[in-house]
Amino acid sequence: MTPADLSRTVLHAVHCAVEADELPAAVPTRVTVRVPPRPGCGDYATNVALRVAQDTGRPAREVAEVLRKRLAAEPGVARVDIAGPGFLNITLEGTSYAQLVRDVLRAPPAAEPLPLPAPAPELIARLGSDAARWSLLWPAGFDRAELLVQRDGNPLFRVRYAHARSRALVRNARDLGFHSEPAGTGHDGAAAALLAALADHARITTARDPERLARHLDRIAGAFLTWQTGCAVLPRGDEKPSAVHRARLALAEATGNVLADGLHQLGITAPAHL
């Protein structure tokens, strides 16, 4: 279930509650979900109960309980908890994660790059073709000289490094004799942020907006590097590969595919070694 799918599911739950006279309120035109800022608070959170409560005159937590019951019965939703004044924290079933990774791995690569203005020859001579193209996509005021430095503050390096790191994990796993296998196990709060970013990829590429795509790739890269630093994707020492390792490897492989696809659409190379 992607964030867009979940938003529609939450909106449907509100609509059904209103139709059943459980909530005397107007149905919002749209509902947003987001990844909670802290691990352990579900995969996504929404403030829809607080918004609806303004129309009903009832306490937000009371409204949240009505919606919690309906959401918890939806396919793909494992659990719904109420937090604070009435936020709904939603935990998805593990199979939803597995299907998302599986879909990303099966997705065909982009057919062609997006149309971009041609960088000036002097800019290409100064930065190289890849950095010159990226410099056209980043906000004004960004120091273009930063694109030549291999460090975390360089968004192009961050994206390409995350891609190269994901490919290295796949190569190392192959050397250890195992392959990726999508599953709903072994994914924590950091993985949820990465999965949410991956789920947005198809929607963002459909918009065919190069600047938005560049920001999206940077978001994925940051989420991937945070996740990968905090968990063991590969077995350590004499440890045997487990289902958790295979699931994490599948997430790393899917991330590499998405980053490579996005860079290709921007006309920028995605080296497997960096």
Side-chain angles (χ1 to χ4, degrees):
M1 184 182 296
T2 68
D5 293 333
L6 183 57
S7 294
R8 287 190 289 268
T9 298
V10 174
L11 188 60
H12 176 71
V14 176
H15 178 80
C16 290
V18 171
E19 286 290 306
D21 290 329
E22 296 174 349
L23 295 174
V27 179
T29 55
R30 62 189 297 268
V31 168
T32 59
V33 298
R34 63 180 180 85
V35 176
R38 296 186 303 276
C41 297
D43 301 319
Y44 295 97
T46 178
N47 67 347
V48 65
L50 282 79
R51 293 171 55 195
V52 173
Q54 294 176 357
D55 290 342
T56 66
R58 293 163 62 179
R61 286 187 66 91
E62 188 177 312
V63 173
E65 178 58 25
V66 172
L67 298 178
R68 185 197 68 78
K69 292 178 179 178
R70 288 191 170 273
L71 282 171
E74 291 288 341
V77 175
R79 190 177 75 252
V80 182
D81 300 304
I82 301 173
F87 292 99
L88 291 169
N89 291 342
I90 304 168
T91 301
L92 301 180
E93 292 179 350
T95 52
S96 298
Y97 282 157
Q99 190 58 51
L100 170 60
V101 174
R102 196 173 291 115
D103 290 345
V104 171
L105 290 172
R106 291 174 178 171
E112 58 184 20
L114 297 174
L116 280 171
E122 57 271 21
L123 188 60
I124 295 177
R126 177 187 169 199
L127 301 177
S129 178
D130 288 337
R133 291 180 70 84
W134 185 276
S135 71
L136 300 178
L137 305 170
W138 220 240
F142 177 75
D143 184 0
R144 289 174 169 172
E146 285 289 317
L147 296 174
L148 298 176
V149 182
Q150 294 195 359
R151 62 186 180 196
D152 190 61
N154 174 355
L156 176 58
F157 171 75
R158 189 162 51 239
V159 171
R160 297 172 85 188
Y161 175 71
H163 169 262
R165 182 59 188 153
S166 69
R167 296 309 191 211
L169 289 169
V170 174
R171 288 195 305 271
N172 293 341
R174 189 181 303 121
D175 292 341
L176 292 172
F178 79 101
H179 60 276
S180 65
E181 187 175 331
T185 58
H187 298 322
D188 56 10
L194 174 56
L195 286 156
L198 293 179
D200 279 342
H201 187 63
R203 175 177 61 84
I204 289 175
T205 54
T206 300
R208 297 184 63 79
D209 182 337
E211 293 183 11
R212 187 179 180 188
L213 177 56
R215 294 192 301 271
H216 170 64
L217 295 180
D218 188 42
R219 173 192 170 198
I220 291 176
F224 171 77
L225 293 172
T226 297
W227 165 75
Q228 185 264 313
T229 300
C231 72
V233 177
L234 302 178
R236 294 173 178 171
D238 296 331
E239 186 181 9
K240 298 296 183 182
S242 66
V244 169
H245 292 119
R246 292 185 176 89
R248 289 173 177 170
L249 182 64
L251 180 52
E253 186 176 2
T255 301
N257 287 5
V258 166
L259 292 175
D261 179 73
L263 287 170
H264 171 72
Q265 291 184 71
L266 297 177
I268 296 173
T269 60
H273 300 269
L274 197 62

